[in-house]
Amino acid sequence: MRFVDTIDGLNDVFETDIPKNSVVLVTGSAGTLKSGFTFQLLSNYLEEQDEYGLYITFEQSKENHLLNMESMGMKLSNKLHISDFSDYRVMYDEFSDDLMNILEENIIQFKEHIGDKCTCIAIDSLGALYSLLDNDAHDLRKKMYKFLETLRREKLTTFLILEEENKSDMSDPSTGMEGYLADGIIELGLHLKGNVANRYMRVRKMRATAHSMEPWILAVSENGLKVYKGNF
C-alpha cells in the first residue's frame, strides 16, 4: 500500500506517492481534521505493511486522542505506537531547553528498538511543542533544522501537524519557517460559500511527486475520511 491509498479518494489527488524519508507539514486552522488526516494515513498504511510507526501527541492524552479517532470511524493499527507527551506540558516547563533533545532521544530509542522496520512518525503538534520551548525565532529554526535532518538520516517519513490560527480560507497561503524546512505541505482548511461550509484539502507542495494543486473536499464518512472533487 502507498501513503496515498490510505484515505478514500486521496490517490486521485496524487499521481505518485508521497516520497519515503520526506518531511511533510500538515497545516490548517482548528477543526480542519489535521490529526484525523495524519492518523488515518499512518494507521492504514502501516496496517498493510511490514513496517511500524510512532505517533507523538502533545495536544491530548492517548485515551482522548483514540476516542476522537474512533468517533470518526478510524481504527488504530497495532503497528502504530502512540507516545503520550501531553504531560510534558506540565512536567518539563522548567526544563524546556532540553525538550527537543528529549523528543529526539525518544524517537531514536524507539527506532533502535524496532529496527529498520520503523519507517514513519507523526508529531501532533508543533504548536504545542513550541509552547514548551523558550527560544527566539532564529534559535528555533536552527533547532528544527537539526531535528529534521536527524529524522531524515534515520530514514523516517515524518508528518508534522501545525495549527495556523489566522488561516481560514484558501486565499491565505501563510506558512512560517516550517514550510521552508519541509519537503511537502498538505493544507487543510474550511471554505465558506454562502451558508455552506466545506472542509477541504490541497497539496501546496510535495517534492519529487506529481500531484494536483487544486482544493478537494475532505469529509468524514462511516469508515473515516474521504476526499473527493467539489465545486468551489
Side-chain angles (χ1 to χ4, degrees):
M1 175 177 278
R2 304 176 302 169
F3 287 117
V4 298
D5 298 323
T6 57
I7 295 174
D8 187 19
L10 190 60
N11 54 11
D12 291 326
V13 180
F14 288 86
E15 293 181 30
T16 52
D17 198 17
I18 296 170
K20 298 289 183 69
N21 309 331
S22 59
V23 175
V24 179
L25 191 66
V26 181
T27 181
S29 58
T32 53
L33 303 175
K34 299 181 297 298
S35 296
F37 183 93
T38 306
F39 178 87
Q40 181 171 330
L41 187 147
L42 284 184
S43 193
N44 285 0
Y45 170 79
L46 293 171
E47 188 63 19
E48 300 298 326
Q49 301 290 118
D50 186 22
E51 300 175 18
Y52 295 83
L54 179 64
Y55 190 107
I56 299 171
T57 172
F58 284 93
E59 294 281 4
Q60 304 179 73
S61 67
K62 176 180 178 178
E63 293 75 17
N64 287 340
H65 179 77
L66 291 177
L67 283 173
N68 187 32
M69 298 302 105
E70 289 172 5
S71 72
M72 294 188 287
M74 302 175 196
K75 295 181 179 179
L76 172 65
S77 169
N78 59 13
K79 299 175 185 177
L80 180 61
H81 177 76
I82 309 296
S83 183
D84 186 350
F85 269 60
S86 60
D87 287 342
Y88 278 53
R89 303 183 76 165
V90 176
M91 294 167 53
Y92 286 91
D93 184 57
E94 59 183 288
F95 304 110
S96 59
D97 288 345
D98 298 326
L99 186 54
M100 286 292 286
N101 291 332
I102 292 169
L103 178 61
E104 184 175 309
E105 289 172 7
N106 181 273
I107 293 169
I108 298 302
Q109 287 174 5
F110 181 81
K111 175 79 172 1
E112 289 176 348
H113 175 69
I114 299 297
D116 290 340
K117 290 186 177 182
C118 176
T119 60
C120 47
I121 67 166
I123 297 175
D124 187 0
S125 68
L126 288 182
L129 173 61
Y130 292 166
S131 71
L132 298 170
L133 301 175
D134 186 20
N135 297 109
D136 61 29
H138 178 71
D139 287 342
L140 182 58
R141 180 164 184 156
K142 287 173 62 178
K143 282 191 172 186
M144 283 301 298
Y145 177 82
K146 175 182 175 296
F147 176 64
L148 296 179
E149 282 304 302
T150 297
L151 300 184
R152 287 186 176 102
R153 286 197 301 271
E154 292 294 326
K155 300 186 184 305
L156 292 167
T157 306
T158 303
F159 294 86
L160 306 173
I161 295 175
L162 176 65
E163 185 163 307
E164 294 184 313
E165 290 293 345
N166 297 326
K167 187 170 183 51
S168 60
D169 208 342
M170 290 181 286
S171 60
D172 183 358
S174 59
T175 296
M177 64 155 182
E178 300 86 3
Y180 296 100
L181 298 176
D183 302 298
I185 303 174
I186 297 176
E187 171 193 318
L188 307 184
L190 187 66
H191 178 66
L192 301 174
K193 187 175 183 180
N195 295 324
V196 178
N198 284 311
R199 292 187 180 98
Y200 73 87
M201 69 143 296
R202 69 174 172 181
V203 183
R204 281 172 39 194
K205 79 170 182 178
M206 193 68 64
R207 292 171 183 159
T209 304
H211 60 84
S212 166
M213 294 192 69
E214 298 177 6
W216 295 67
I217 289 178
L218 178 66
V220 180
S221 70
E222 293 182 357
N223 299 312
L225 303 184
K226 64 178 181 179
V227 175
Y228 59 93
K229 194 66 177 168
N231 183 13
F232 291 94

